[in-house]
Amino acid sequence: MTKPRLFRLWLALGSVLMVLLIIVYWDNVGTAHFYLHTSLSRPHALAPLPTTGQGEDAEFTSDVDEFLDKLLSSGAKQSELSKKKTKQPPALASSKPALSRMEESVRGYDWSSQNAQQRSDAGLQQAERRSMLRHFCANSSLAFPTKERSFDDIPNYELNHLIVDDRHGVIYCYVPKVACTNWKRVMIVLSESLLDRGAPYRNPLDIPRERVHNSSTHLTFNKFWRRYGRFSRHLMKIKLKKYTKFLFVRDPFVRLISAFRSKFELENEEFYRKFAAPMLRLYANRTSLPASVSEAFSAGLKVTFANFIQYLLDPHTEKLAPFNEHWRQVYRLCHPCQIDYDFVGKLETLDEDAAQLLQLLKVDAQVHFPPSYRNRTASSWEDDWFAKIPLAWRRQLYKLYEADFVLFGYPKPEHLLRD
């Protein structure tokens, strides 16, 4: 019994060394060092590992996971020293990115400086948000698709919104239309995953928008399989246990309005061809359409908000493809019942939440969240936007996004759902 046990142990150690070689050479995320900072997050109970393997294979994966867990923990002190050496003073204010007045208005940007007012009850507020999430994830009164599945059941392609920063031990799940451009910029600065003339970006606003949204810029969970193979899920679980995990959310109906304005009121060639043209054919009885978005806009052919709602409610829509990320439900993007988030921010309280989070991550002296993103698509606009939407459609739409309303503590819009 002793020799087989030793053989399995040596085999496990050999495999781990191979994984480490892969990590050192392919997982540098824009830096030449391997950082494994793990001291920021509070302890979590690690979810049980898969038990499909039996006998020797189960012992083998157990040995590997234990070794990786110890490795991540032991890297904290070294990473803290590295961070101190590379810490930079806060970046100077940069000129705002060039945006046309139309684009700036529709996207909702406001680049004016604003001092975030820290709320005295910020800690209590976070505890309440996280407690509400855990309560409704465990409560059978709220049912929605994918709620009961485990983390292992989540397909790899659905993990593409989880951005990892190994330098500081941070995982961010980005939600489009919830200030994700600027949070991605912050993650780029922290992870040093992009260079500007040979040096990492220090000011988030210096990073061009097109580079921010390039998928190759960020290390995301869905890329782990290509890098780590059979160890990918085990490594994800260890990082979920050790790292600080956060997301930002927004009133679901207001987010839909913002997505509609951004993607269908601006000339967007990709969204015109992929979404607007089919919507116009299906719901506006337009049989002959211009080839380009500029020609369509010139001819006064635009998708209406009612067309957009019809598209969302049409049962055939998702038979063709999943919802686009800009209007896909947050619970489908970030899996809040499978991942125990340490911080839940809201766009409605962005300034104070951003300041609190950067302080929690101990990077507030290193990076500042870009100037305030004013919520111009305000909740008070809902009455105007939904005025011409039939009551039956509004109720169906609420059911479609009900889980996001409930999980993240947004009140049910009763005034939109009553006769």
Side-chain angles (χ1 to χ4, degrees), residues 3-153:
K3 289 183 178 180
R5 174 70 178 176
L6 287 174
F7 175 76
R8 289 196 301 272
L9 182 58
W10 280 111
L11 185 61
L13 290 174
S15 300
V16 169
L17 288 175
M18 290 297 294
V19 172
L20 291 180
L21 285 174
I22 295 172
I23 291 173
V24 170
Y25 289 101
W26 288 320
D27 191 28
N28 34 26
V29 196
T31 178
H33 303 284
F34 178 46
Y35 295 91
L36 287 167
H37 183 69
T38 62
S39 63
L40 294 179
S41 61
R42 55 180 178 73
H44 294 284
L46 185 61
L49 293 174
T51 57
T52 53
Q54 296 181 354
E56 294 184 3
D57 189 58
E59 282 192 50
F60 167 74
T61 55
S62 177
D63 290 339
V64 172
D65 292 336
E66 183 179 357
F67 188 91
L68 286 173
D69 197 2
K70 290 179 180 178
L71 175 68
L72 284 167
S73 299
S74 65
K77 186 177 293 184
Q78 180 179 354
S79 178
E80 186 67 32
L81 292 173
S82 299
K83 190 177 73 171
K84 288 180 180 178
K85 290 179 182 179
T86 59
K87 182 178 285 188
Q88 300 291 327
L92 297 175
S94 176
S95 59
K96 69 179 181 180
L99 290 171
S100 69
R101 288 187 179 181
M102 175 64 176
E103 184 175 9
E104 183 169 341
S105 173
V106 171
R107 290 195 186 279
Y109 290 116
D110 181 349
W111 300 101
S112 59
S113 298
Q114 195 177 44
N115 294 323
Q117 298 295 319
Q118 283 278 25
R119 293 177 48 150
S120 59
D121 61 346
L124 178 61
Q125 182 186 68
Q126 273 304 308
E128 290 174 348
R129 289 176 183 176
R130 294 180 56 250
S131 176
M132 180 173 294
L133 251 183
R134 289 196 302 270
H135 170 74
F136 284 108
C137 283
N139 194 322
S140 60
S141 65
L142 176 67
F144 55 89
T146 75
K147 178 185 177 182
E148 302 299 332
R149 68 181 177 181
S150 69
F151 180 75
D152 288 316
D153 293 329

Side-chain angles (χ1 to χ4, degrees), residues 296-311:
F297 274 39
S298 297
L301 293 174
K302 293 184 179 182
V303 167
T304 66
F305 189 58
N307 296 151
F308 180 53
I309 301 303
Q310 281 180 283
Y311 167 80

Side-chain angles (χ1 to χ4, degrees), residues 229-285:
R230 65 177 294 190
F231 298 105
S232 58
R233 287 284 165 147
H234 301 330
L235 195 57
M236 288 180 205
K237 288 180 180 179
I238 291 171
K239 293 190 178 191
L240 286 172
K241 173 187 175 184
K242 297 290 182 179
Y243 289 6
T244 302
K245 305 162 291 297
F246 77 95
L247 79 165
F248 272 74
V249 297
R250 184 181 194 175
D251 179 287
F253 278 5
V254 178
R255 179 173 167 246
L256 284 182
I257 296 170
S258 180
F260 173 79
R261 299 181 71 211
S262 174
K263 299 306 175 186
F264 300 112
E265 288 191 346
L266 294 175
E267 291 189 9
N268 186 312
E269 197 66 48
E270 177 190 357
F271 276 76
Y272 172 73
R273 292 173 185 245
K274 192 171 183 179
F275 301 106
M279 287 183 205
L280 288 169
R281 292 190 188 99
L282 285 170
Y283 313 118
N285 296 317

